[in-house]
Amino acid sequence: MLSEVLQVLRGAGKVGSALVCTQGEQLRLMACNSTMGAGVKVAQDAVEGLVSNFSGAGSASPKEDVFPDAEGWENVDPDEAAKWATGSEFPSEAVEQSQTEAGAAGVPPSPGTGWPGQSARFLHTTPSFQRYFYQTRSLHDTVVARLSPEDIKKAREAKKALAKPVRQKLSDRAKERKVPATRISRLVNFGGLAVGLGIGAIAEVAKQSLGGKSKGEDGALLDSPLLSEANAERIVNTLCKVRGAALKIGQMFSIQDNAFINPQLQKIFERVRQSADFMPAWQMNKVLVEELGPGWREKLSSFEDKPFAAASIGQVHHGVLKDGREIAMKIQYPGVADSISSDIDNLMTVLKMSVALPGGLFADSSLEVLQRELAWECDYKREAESAKKFRSMLEGNELFQIPEVIDELSGSRVLAMDLIQGVPLDRCVDLDQETRNQICYRILQLCLREVFEFRFMQTDPNWSNFFYNSDTDKVVLLDFGACRGYPEKFTDDYIEVVHAASVGDRATVLSKSKDLKFLTGFEAKAFEEAHVEAVMILGEAFASVEPFDFGNQSTTQRVQSLVPVMLRHRLTPPPEESYSLHRKMAGSFLICSKLKARIACKDMFMEVYDAYNQRRQEEQAARAAA
């Protein structure tokens, strides 16, 4: 009974503390230009001390004084900041003398603005007696109060510094673990996962039944007792250990919108995307000797045995050539290429246990395409040729950078390329709006050019495959294992579907979709309407003359609401080319959404559309002349 009373008292104390903090900020703002400021400040700190003692936190650190609009303060106009930058009630000489006397008395001097070495959140967290001793107008000693035009300039530069190229390193959670190289050893891991998921599901159902946890209310498609947080952790641990095709699928989940998967599950899959476990040095060296021969180290002046990145198919090591060039060597996990089919079969067995897959999903067709594409990704010779092709297609382009392949250190399971610095695009969220808009414009425009101009696309939209280098102001393209071509007949019809969506022509969307084999022509009216509506929603960005706000749109939720109808009435699987294409386009839209881009897409698409038609007419004329 006593413990319950204490909990109630602590809760009341927290509520009181929050109220004091909130009302105190308002009092400070009201009194910022008044000589009563010091008295208000003393009174507030006294109340805060009483609340802290009452709640048992009397020894806690000094209360942090955060300005209500501290978020985004570095974007404040300099003139506006100057208006708020009130000074001391006493002459500056008196303040300096007071600080000197304080130093002689053993009191540490005021930290001043603290920029840039100190975090902005703690710029003015100083002991209470120190503030009173100086007798300055401390009640408005907030972040914005100390801003000068120079401070604002430094803040903006600091935000840009967040995207400065940094040396990549493994996640702190990555472990050195041997890769299960045989099908039997990999099957054992999946078998253990299946048993663990069953036990975890029973526990989850018990929690829900006893009221310990309610079912998610966000309507996520993969919200299931078998995919609880505990079971998700089991899945991640297994995927990070076995790696390969199964881990690749997990990484695909990690970059989905919150409307598609449970947000808690997405956070756990984020660990999968950031870093898998890495193989020990002896296993890595075995692959290198088999691919490059026993003297492979003699071609390098240095090589780091511990990787700086680990992904689904392989891990990446830092090396230096004899001429001083830094390179990245991607080394494939042993047994991964030979176990693609079995890995997917094992994972699908687990997935079918977890959720009921609707017939309209045509999972078998999807898996057949996925297996073929994963086999391409395991062929590093094919990836090297794709990287060279992209360098050729974008030669002379000042907006993108593609690393050069080092042929003498590459093979079927080893790929060496120039090491290019940068940061993944998902770490560019704090850049200024203009820079984010420019990055997203390039990504989306390149996506359109890949399919409609080059007819050759890198189809893996993983964040880590796209870097931004603020020093060169270039987007760096990495990882070309998922590249594929598209036949002219497909792109001829597909570009007309996108154009029809951009001009609101629903009839052409439907007819061209039938030409592309998205529909058989015998579907129910409800399916036709749902399919056309989904295309129209996805085409809204290209229909808007004004900048489209990717950070404030409900595309995913609206398309998701149509999915049940399409899965119930679909009669045929989508065309084989659409799987990778839609994955890449959805990933490009998610990048724009992640960075909250606001860009005009209609003119961008129309430039690509007009250029496509012009090339098509020229090719037709050339064929006719021949």
Side-chain angles (χ1 to χ4, degrees):
M1 181 69 180
L2 180 59
S3 63
E4 294 176 351
V5 172
L6 289 175
Q7 288 180 356
V8 172
L9 291 176
R10 288 194 183 99
K14 291 180 180 179
V15 172
S17 179
L19 180 62
V20 168
C21 182
T22 302
Q23 298 303 319
E25 285 290 348
Q26 295 181 3
L27 285 172
R28 279 198 294 274
L29 291 174
M30 292 170 60
C32 65
N33 291 314
S34 170
T35 56
M36 297 178 60
V40 174
K41 184 65 182 174
V42 172
Q44 189 212 356
D45 280 353
V47 175
E48 289 176 354
L50 289 174
V51 172
S52 297
N53 290 329
F54 179 75
S55 60
S59 59
S61 58
K63 193 70 177 178
E64 183 184 324
D65 179 19
V66 180
F67 190 73
D69 295 325
E71 295 295 334
W73 60 270
E74 65 278 14
N75 295 320
V76 175
D77 184 81
D79 294 335
E80 182 70 13
K83 182 178 68 176
W84 285 97
T86 58
S88 170
E89 291 182 347
F90 298 92
S92 58
E93 295 83 0
V95 175
E96 293 174 359
Q97 180 181 358
S98 173
Q99 291 179 343
T100 303
E101 294 172 356
V107 179
S110 173
T113 61
W115 184 268
Q118 189 178 17
S119 171
R121 271 181 71 83
F122 303 100
L123 287 180
H124 48 281
T125 303
T126 54
S128 298
F129 70 88
Q130 181 181 343
R131 292 199 292 263
Y132 306 150
F133 185 83
Y134 296 154
Q135 292 295 306
T136 61
R137 185 176 291 172
S138 59
L139 60 92
H140 196 61
D141 190 19
T142 60
V143 174
V144 177
R146 305 187 202 182
L147 286 182
S148 66
E150 291 76 15
D151 293 329
I152 295 174
K153 181 180 179 181
K154 289 179 180 179
R156 288 170 176 163
E157 291 175 351
K159 269 201 169 186
K160 290 185 178 180
L162 294 174
K164 290 286 184 183
V166 293
R167 179 77 178 272
Q168 281 185 272
K169 63 178 182 178
L170 280 172
S171 166
D172 294 335
R173 298 183 62 180
K175 306 172 185 175
E176 180 183 289
R177 286 199 285 189
K178 175 187 174 183
V179 181
T182 66
R183 292 190 178 187
I184 294 178
S185 62
R186 299 176 75 84
L187 179 60
V188 168
N189 281 279
F190 281 107
L193 173 62
V195 173
L197 288 179
I199 297 173
I202 294 174
E204 184 68 18
V205 171
K207 282 183 183 180
Q208 294 181 7
S209 299
L210 296 174
K213 178 185 176 184
S214 60
K215 186 176 176 63
E217 298 177 355
D218 52 10
L221 294 181
L222 298 184
D223 196 1
S224 162
L226 273 157
L227 289 178
S228 63
E229 288 87 335
N231 273 353
E233 191 65 34
R234 292 186 179 95
I235 294 173
V236 170
N237 284 331
T238 301
L239 298 186
C240 286
K241 181 179 179 181
V242 300
R243 283 148 278 194
L247 179 57
K248 189 72 177 181
I249 296 175
Q251 290 179 336
M252 291 178 183
F253 283 138
S254 75
I255 60 172
Q256 298 303 316
D257 191 275
N258 280 349
F260 181 72
I261 62 173
N262 186 294
Q264 288 78 19
L265 180 61
Q266 186 184 42
K267 289 179 181 178
I268 298 177
F269 273 129
E270 182 70 10
R271 186 218 153 182
V272 174
R273 183 181 69 81
Q274 291 178 345
S275 182
D277 295 330
F278 58 97
M279 57 183 164
W282 68 265
Q283 200 172 31
M284 172 269 299
N285 189 68
K286 185 173 183 291
V287 175
L288 286 169
V289 170
E290 291 173 354
E291 288 294 318
L292 305 179
W296 63 270
R297 284 185 184 267
E298 299 174 1
K299 302 175 182 179
L300 298 164
S301 62
S302 68
F303 177 83
E304 295 182 6
D305 288 327
K306 184 175 181 179
F308 64 79
S312 56
I313 307 297
Q315 60 192 41
V316 190
H317 294 252
H318 179 270
V320 180
L321 297 177
K322 295 289 187 180
D323 61 6
R325 290 166 60 194
E326 291 185 283
I327 64 170
M329 291 185 66
K330 183 163 65 172
I331 305 167
Q332 191 174 120
Y333 302 127
V336 165
D338 298 330
S339 60
I340 292 175
S341 297
S342 59
D343 275 4
I344 292 180
D345 290 342
N346 293 333
L347 188 63
M348 282 306 298
T349 299
V350 173
L351 187 59
K352 288 177 180 178
M353 289 170 49
S354 307
V355 290
L357 300 178
L361 187 61
F362 289 96
D364 293 338
S365 177
S366 303
L367 291 178
E368 182 181 346
V369 174
L370 182 60
Q371 288 180 11
R372 182 162 55 252
E373 292 179 350
L374 287 174
W376 292 344
E377 292 198 48
C378 290
D379 185 353
Y380 284 0
K381 287 185 176 179
R382 182 182 184 276
E383 179 175 354
E385 293 303 316
S386 296
K388 293 176 183 178
K389 185 171 183 177
F390 255 92
R391 278 179 63 88
S392 175
M393 292 187 302
L394 294 175
E395 185 176 3
N397 191 302
E398 297 296 327
L399 305 179
F400 297 97
Q401 186 174 8
I402 299 172
E404 182 180 356
V405 176
I406 312 300
D407 289 318
E408 62 176 342
L409 289 169
S410 300
S412 298
R413 293 184 295 165
V414 179
L415 178 59
M417 305 179 77
D418 284 334
L419 181 66
I420 301 180
Q421 302 294 346
V423 296
L425 293 190
D426 59 337
R427 287 179 50 190
C428 296
V429 293
D430 289 323
L431 293 178
D432 61 88
Q433 185 68 53
E434 182 181 356
T435 302
R436 285 183 279 125
N437 288 347
Q438 290 175 354
I439 292 173
C440 293
Y441 189 94
R442 297 175 194 178
I443 292 294
L444 200 55
Q445 185 183 52
L446 178 63
C447 181
L448 294 174
R449 292 187 65 195
E450 284 178 276
V451 63
F452 297 128
E453 180 181 340
F454 307 144
R455 294 198 188 100
F456 189 76
M457 174 178 275
Q458 189 280 93
T459 63
D460 186 354
N462 192 315
W463 310 117
S464 299
N465 292 341
F466 304 91
F467 278 23
Y468 176 66
N469 188 316
S470 59
D471 290 339
T472 61
D473 190 30
K474 289 185 177 182
V475 174
V476 181
L477 306 181
L478 303 169
D479 197 332
F480 299 90
C483 290
R484 64 155 300 157
Y486 294 94
E488 183 178 357
K489 178 63 172 68
F490 175 82
T491 59
D492 284 350
D493 290 332
Y494 196 87
I495 197 170
E496 294 301 334
V497 170
V498 180
H499 179 259
S502 71
V503 297
D505 186 352
R506 302 176 71 93
T508 300
V509 168
L510 181 60
S511 64
K512 286 296 181 180
S513 294
K514 292 178 180 178
D515 293 341
L516 285 164
K517 309 302 181 187
F518 280 102
L519 298 88
T520 64
F522 297 100
E523 283 79 7
K525 187 70 172 178
F527 177 84
E528 290 185 352
E529 292 177 352
H531 171 82
V532 172
E533 182 62 23
V535 174
M536 299 301 292
I537 292 173
L538 294 172
E540 285 178 349
F542 301 118
S544 174
V545 177
E546 298 298 322
F548 186 78
D549 189 351
F550 284 91
N552 186 27
Q553 45 81 28
S554 57
T555 300
T556 306
Q557 292 81 358
R558 291 157 64 198
V559 172
Q560 180 192 338
S561 67
L562 302 170
V563 168
V565 175
M566 291 192 286
L567 291 180
R568 189 180 308 118
H569 297 289
R570 183 182 292 279
L571 300 181
T572 183
E576 183 261 343
E577 296 88 352
S578 68
Y579 289 98
S580 55
L581 173 58
H582 288 173
R583 182 171 68 242
K584 173 62 178 287
M585 294 193 72
S588 299
F589 271 61
L590 280 174
I591 289 174
C592 295
S593 177
K594 179 82 171 179
L595 299 187
K596 295 180 171 57
R598 294 193 294 269
I599 52 180
C601 302
K602 185 177 180 63
D603 290 343
M604 175 204 303
F605 171 72
M606 289 308 300
E607 289 179 7
V608 174
Y609 180 73
D610 292 340
Y612 187 93
N613 285 329
Q614 183 177 350
R615 285 193 305 273
R616 185 162 53 179
Q617 292 172 3
E618 292 174 354
E619 292 170 358
Q620 291 173 349
R623 284 195 293 265

